[in-house]
Amino acid sequence: MALEGLAGDYKAAPFISREEIRRLAVAHGTKPSLRSHPNVVSLSERQQKEL
């Protein structure tokens, strides 16, 4: 990427508005939280089990 910048071949990413991001997020839907997953153990719980 540094060579592209020196050569002047760098193209900026297209502008995406917050509204477009919001629409994409709504269309994509929600995913369940990993924190609420029953198989996930927090670091503090893991350390307590080792003691």
Side-chain angles (χ1 to χ4, degrees):
M1 202 144 141
L3 293 176
E4 293 169 347
L6 290 173
D9 295 336
Y10 179 76
K11 304 275 189 292
F15 177 77
I16 300 176
S17 69
R18 290 182 184 210
E19 180 61 26
E20 189 173 357
I21 292 172
R22 189 196 66 76
R23 276 189 264 123
L24 289 170
V26 168
H28 183 54
T30 60
K31 293 183 177 182
S33 171
L34 287 176
R35 291 179 183 215
S36 64
H37 195 280
N39 294 339
V40 174
V41 179
S42 69
L43 180 59
S44 60
E45 290 174 352
R46 192 177 312 147
Q47 289 171 343
Q48 288 176 355
K49 287 181 180 180
E50 291 176 356
L51 295 178

